[in-house]
Amino acid sequence: MSATAVTTKCCVVGGGPAGMMMGYLLARAGVDVVVLEKHADFLRDFRGDTIHPSTLELMQELGLLDAFLRLPHRKVERLVGEIGNVRVTLAEFTRLSSTCKFIAFMPQWDFLDFMADHGRRYRGFHLMMRTEATDLIELGGRIVGLRANAEAGAVEILADLVIGADGRHSTIRERAGLKVDDLGAPMDVLWTRLSRRPDDYADAFGRFEAGRIFIMLNRGDYWQCAYVIAKGSADELMKRDIEDFRRMILAMSPWLGERVNEVKSWDDVKLLTVALDRLPQWYRPGLLCIGDAAHAMSPIGGVGINLAVQDAVAAANILAEPLRAGAATLDHLARVQARRQWPTRVTQAFQRAIQNRVIGPVLAGAAQPKPPLPVKLLNWFPPLRGIPARFIGIGVRPEHIHTKEVAGA
Ligand SMILES: Cc1cc2nc3c(=O)[nH]c(=O)nc-3n(C[C@H](O)[C@H](O)[C@H](O)COP(=O)(O)OP(=O)(O)OC[C@H]3O[C@@H](n4cnc5c(N)ncnc54)[C@H](O)[C@@H]3O)c2cc1C
């Protein structure tokens, strides 16, 4: 059976934070865009819940902030940790000068649904769910489209530009043959959830002990729990009785008591592998990668969503007009990389430093970890907490919306 053919200006692969923001901004600027998402909905297991002050600033610039903040969310004004027996405040967002001085913890599916709903208001926005890109179509060394499997069968999408926003296991970057530099990550994460009681802590919370790290994110009536383990150790651990894992949780947060029994089997635990990598070159003629597809981010600092969104904003700023005019060139794609490469490198260098100096040694260590001097300084001089707050909450080289909403788009 022959494939259905679709023609568009831009085909974005992946309905994550990068892809949905990209699709929304292009459609708003009058560019016909098709966004493909392989899943049927955005309701997947944990994918990161953090909407940072700089993303909220973008919502404000788009005139969407009030509607956005009407979605259920929790405001987190500071990040707190426990290193060994010492409780430390790592960042205070109230010290920022941005419109929103907090991180909004919001299920990622609400954020993505919100962008999809607002995207659908524009004629040029076409979201194809349950559609998985499988291969690229190349003509004379230029990517001119892709092949995908949709619910109704095979589809070929021809586009002036294909954008790979399909995350850290990107099919697009692999099919395009783009080289990947692996920066390495010493850990993976086991996710599970436990019920939360109204009198539990309110803050997001991380505990560092010799050989283990446990992070708990307040999701209202439950805790999203991340147990950080040494890379590659999950198989061995998950062969053991689930009771061992319950004991490991209890050792980190004894106050959870019998609630650990809510983890009934390994089916209630999900392994998320952590990657830290980047492409030396993000583009080829007719193709650009953004977000995790261009640079997989570690969960450290919870900055990956923010970076993905910032990439989309920068890409839309540079590409919307040329795409509309049918005149996007390789030089435009190179400009997107040039704009976003530096923030990516700086942020990954920070993540690597934390991986190598804190996470790796804590996971490998037998002795009770102690807060390093920079962390002690944050405890002693509260104004210093504005520095990590800025780095995490706003990031390096924050982007602003320069695309205009096109009348009748
Ligand atoms: C364990 C863990 C925890 C994390 N926690 C946080 C956090 O709290 N805060 C934070 O900011 N960041 C966090 N991150 C990083 C964050 O998840 C990513 O940086 C961010 O999601 C990148 O967004 P993206 O849009 O580039 O890619 P993704 O969010 O990965 O989205 C890619 C999308 O593409 C779709 N897709 C993939 N292949 C195809 C295909 N072939 N065809 C069609 N669709 C396809 C996928 O289904 C997905 O919806 C975490 C990462 C890990 C590993």
Side-chain angles (χ1 to χ4, degrees):
M1 208 173 74
S2 66
T4 311
V6 175
T7 303
T8 182
K9 291 270 186 200
C10 181
C11 179
V12 179
V13 180
M20 293 310 295
M21 183 56 90
M22 191 76 226
Y24 168 80
L25 287 173
L26 289 182
R28 176 178 172 273
V31 178
D32 194 80
V33 56
V34 174
V35 182
L36 309 184
E37 170 51 51
K38 68 179 176 182
H39 290 98
D41 54 36
F42 298 119
L43 281 175
R44 271 176 300 302
D45 232 312
F46 189 78
R47 299 170 54 159
D49 285 12
T50 50
I51 306 296
H52 286 224
S54 53
T55 302
L56 294 168
E57 201 76 31
L58 293 170
M59 290 295 182
Q60 166 91 325
E61 291 174 18
L62 290 166
L64 299 176
L65 185 63
D66 290 344
F68 188 65
L69 290 179
R70 279 198 289 276
L71 296 175
H73 66 280
R74 283 188 27 75
K75 292 186 175 65
V76 171
E77 294 180 335
R78 66 188 63 79
L79 297 181
V80 178
E82 223 170 81
I83 304 182
N85 292 325
V86 187
R87 198 172 170 89
V88 286
T89 300
L90 299 166
E92 243 167 31
F93 301 104
T94 47
R95 295 180 184 277
L96 296 176
S97 56
S98 52
T99 312
C100 297
K101 300 176 198 313
F102 55 86
I103 290 184
F105 269 65
M106 176 186 290
Q108 205 184 111
W109 51 83
D110 283 346
F111 170 52
L112 299 175
D113 273 333
F114 181 87
M115 295 317 300
D117 287 347
H118 284 269
R120 284 189 194 99
R121 296 178 186 184
Y122 301 110
R123 274 186 303 161
F125 182 85
H126 315 281
L127 176 59
M128 295 174 66
M129 301 300 287
R130 257 189 213 156
T131 306
E132 178 168 10
T134 52
D135 210 352
L136 294 168
I137 304 174
E138 205 170 325
L139 202 65
R142 183 186 170 85
I143 310 297
V144 293
L146 55 80
R147 295 189 184 84
N149 289 327
E151 220 183 343
V155 54
E156 277 188 5
I157 300 175
L158 299 179
D160 293 354
L161 179 66
V162 171
I163 296 189
D166 50 344
R168 59 184 174 274
H169 306 297
S170 170
T171 303
I172 294 301
R173 75 181 189 187
E174 189 252 317
R175 290 286 189 271
L178 291 171
K179 181 174 171 288
V180 182
D181 286 344
D182 186 0
L183 307 179
M187 77 280 199
D188 287 325
V189 181
L190 293 174
W191 288 109
T192 193
R193 55 168 75 180
L194 295 170
S195 59
R196 186 177 169 276
R197 296 179 186 158
D199 54 343
D200 283 351
Y201 298 102
D203 294 322
F205 182 79
R207 192 175 162 91
F208 294 70
E209 288 277 354
R212 51 215 175 155
I213 299 170
F214 189 53
I215 292 161
M216 299 178 71
L217 304 174
N218 177 352
R219 278 256 191 112
D221 58 353
Y222 69 92
W223 288 105
Q224 185 77 50
C225 304
Y227 204 106
V228 183
I229 54 171
K231 187 153 242 11
S233 64
D235 279 356
E236 198 50 44
L237 177 62
M238 292 172 93
K239 276 187 203 141
R240 285 160 46 187
D241 195 287
I242 191 67
E243 183 56 28
D244 286 6
F245 186 56
R246 291 189 201 124
R247 269 195 227 109
M248 287 163 62
I249 295 178
L250 216 46
M252 295 302 262
S253 293
W255 53 271
L256 284 167
E258 64 194 22
R259 272 183 271 176
V260 290
N261 295 325
E262 292 165 15
V263 187
K264 291 196 170 34
S265 74
W266 286 111
D267 293 342
D268 296 330
V269 182
K270 167 119 178 134
L271 169 69
L272 283 180
T273 51
V274 176
L276 189 67
D277 66 31
R278 61 177 173 246
L279 307 180
Q281 184 162 320
W282 298 17
Y283 58 89
R284 278 186 51 188
L287 176 123
L288 172 72
C289 287
I290 59 170
D292 268 20
H295 46 74
M297 303 304 289
S298 148
I300 293 167
V303 292
I305 296 170
N306 199 37
L307 244 80
V309 168
Q310 301 277 321
D311 280 3
V313 172
N317 286 343
I318 293 168
L319 293 168
E321 262 319 300
L323 277 172
R324 223 155 68 91
T329 63
L330 200 61
D331 181 54
H332 291 109
L333 307 184
R335 278 172 51 200
V336 176
Q337 173 171 353
R339 171 92 199 155
R340 296 304 305 159
Q341 184 163 262
W342 185 67
T344 302
R345 282 174 176 266
V346 174
T347 312
Q348 288 186 325
F350 160 80
Q351 293 190 319
R352 261 182 112 182
I354 304 276
Q355 279 184 181
N356 296 342
R357 294 202 193 148
V358 183
I359 309 244
V362 167
L363 291 178
Q368 184 85 306
K370 294 197 181 95
L373 182 65
V375 172
K376 282 189 196 152
L377 288 173
L378 296 175
N379 249 13
W380 296 333
F381 304 108
L384 291 181
R385 296 171 194 166
I387 299 170
R390 176 158 174 106
F391 190 76
I392 293 171
I394 304 292
V396 180
R397 191 183 273 165
E399 301 292 342
H400 296 281
I401 308 286
H402 296 310
T403 43
K404 298 255 175 311
E405 181 173 30
V406 167

